[in-house]
Amino acid sequence: MIVSLKHQNTDYKINLNQGITIGIPIQRINGVKGFGIHNARYHTYENDGFIGNKNKGGSCNLETITFTPHGNGTHTECFGHISLDTHFVNDHIVDNFYFAKLVTAPTIQVNNHLILDFNNLDILSLKNYKSLIIRSLPNNDLKKIKDYSNQATPFISADDMRSIVEAGIEHLIIDLPSVDPEWDGGKLTAHHIFWNYPDQPRKQCSITEFAYIPNDTLDGDYLLKLNIANFVSDAAPSKPILYPLITN
């Protein structure tokens, strides 16, 4: 299906059959994970003589799945992740199509910390976009199954996150476990800056973590759809898809 739209006085065409999936699914074994969280666990449902497994004599297959959205794959979260009050991602995030900028950021070491380097990114150019997608370097297929627990992992510095917010980015996607360090004493500084919590929370804004952007997906402009699962929680599994923009 081909759709046409206009953005910043430019006409585009988008082929909705040529989307690029940048989400990592929740896996049965050896899935991506962090924070010491176990992989998702799949169990055959059994109750009162019923067994949900055709190979064990059941009438159909029925599974119970236990997982943690924040640690078992690509997920999208709302400010409820850090708020005192309970807030749910699907109550606040409009899962619409958004103009997005994909950038690649190398890792540098500053004061014994690994941070993403945005020195080659013109932050002001982001004012025309609702979403920023960050591919960190190095980048390879191991990101789909890596256990980041207790590993030195880059994050977004407070100053860079302030610049991203000032540029008006409302939906941030990153291919790492978190925009903050794995353990920072509970401060979650970048999360708080992004959502401007608790002062005047940007309730419509989302952070998506544990994405994976293939190397052959070029930096540049895309249309983004988050595809957030319909879970009642501060975060839910998601399957972000990028659609290349074709100028007329």
Side-chain angles (χ1 to χ4, degrees):
M1 176 184 293
I2 306 294
V3 298
S4 300
L5 52 83
K6 182 186 290 287
H7 179 67
Q8 296 294 319
N9 297 317
T10 301
D11 293 319
Y12 296 99
K13 288 185 178 179
I14 298 96
N15 187 338
L16 296 182
N17 295 320
Q18 295 182 348
I20 302 166
T21 298
I22 60 170
I24 301 173
I26 294 171
Q27 304 277 10
R28 291 180 175 272
I29 56 174
N30 297 329
V32 66
K33 57 185 176 180
F35 315 105
I37 296 170
H38 294 290
N39 280 129
R41 298 172 181 176
Y42 292 71
H43 302 281
T44 295
Y45 178 79
E46 298 184 44
N47 182 48
D48 196 21
F50 172 84
I51 183 167
N53 189 316
K54 288 282 289 187
N55 291 313
K56 294 182 179 180
S59 58
C60 62
N61 297 312
L62 200 62
E63 291 183 315
T64 297
I65 307 169
T66 303
F67 69 98
T68 304
H70 290 280
N72 289 142
T74 305
H75 61 277
T76 298
E77 54 195 39
C78 71
F79 80 107
H81 182 42
I82 58 169
S83 65
L84 288 171
D85 297 330
T86 301
H87 294 279
F88 304 135
V89 62
N90 280 292
D91 288 343
H92 292 285
I93 309 306
V94 178
D95 199 350
N96 209 335
F97 287 94
Y98 298 103
F99 276 90
K101 170 73 81 174
L102 168 62
V103 302
T104 300
T107 300
I108 59 175
Q109 186 165 335
V110 177
N111 297 326
N112 296 320
H113 293 290
L114 297 179
I115 65 171
L116 296 177
D117 179 11
F118 297 103
N119 287 330
N120 292 325
L121 174 63
D122 179 8
I123 298 293
L124 292 178
S125 69
L126 298 177
K127 293 186 179 294
N128 295 328
Y129 303 87
K130 286 286 188 181
S131 177
L132 174 64
I133 302 135
I134 301 169
R135 171 172 45 202
S136 64
L137 294 178
N139 188 61
N140 55 58
D141 285 350
L142 291 177
K143 285 183 176 177
K144 299 178 182 179
I145 59 172
K146 184 174 180 178
D147 183 358
Y148 288 87
S149 303
N150 300 314
Q151 302 293 318
T153 304
F155 57 92
I156 300 177
S157 72
D159 287 341
D160 286 329
M161 186 60 90
R162 289 188 188 96
S163 296
I164 290 170
V165 171
E166 289 170 1
I169 294 298
E170 295 185 356
H171 303 285
L172 180 62
I173 297 179
I174 193 169
D175 61 358
L176 295 167
S178 177
V179 296
D180 280 302
E182 181 179 26
W183 305 113
D184 62 356
K187 294 190 291 291
L188 280 80
T189 301
H191 281 86
H192 281 78
I193 293 171
F194 181 78
W195 280 307
N196 196 34
Y197 183 85
D199 297 334
Q200 291 181 317
R202 302 199 307 153
K203 298 180 180 181
Q204 80 282 10
C205 300
S206 71
I207 295 176
T208 299
E209 295 162 334
F210 270 137
Y212 175 71
I213 303 99
N215 284 320
D216 59 2
T217 302
L218 301 179
D219 285 3
D221 298 351
Y222 294 87
L223 199 65
L224 166 72
K225 185 74 164 53
L226 290 171
N227 298 308
I228 306 170
N230 195 19
F231 276 81
V232 181
S233 183
D234 68 280
S238 57
K239 185 183 180 181
I241 296 179
L242 299 181
Y243 299 92
L245 299 174
I246 304 168
T247 54
N248 292 335

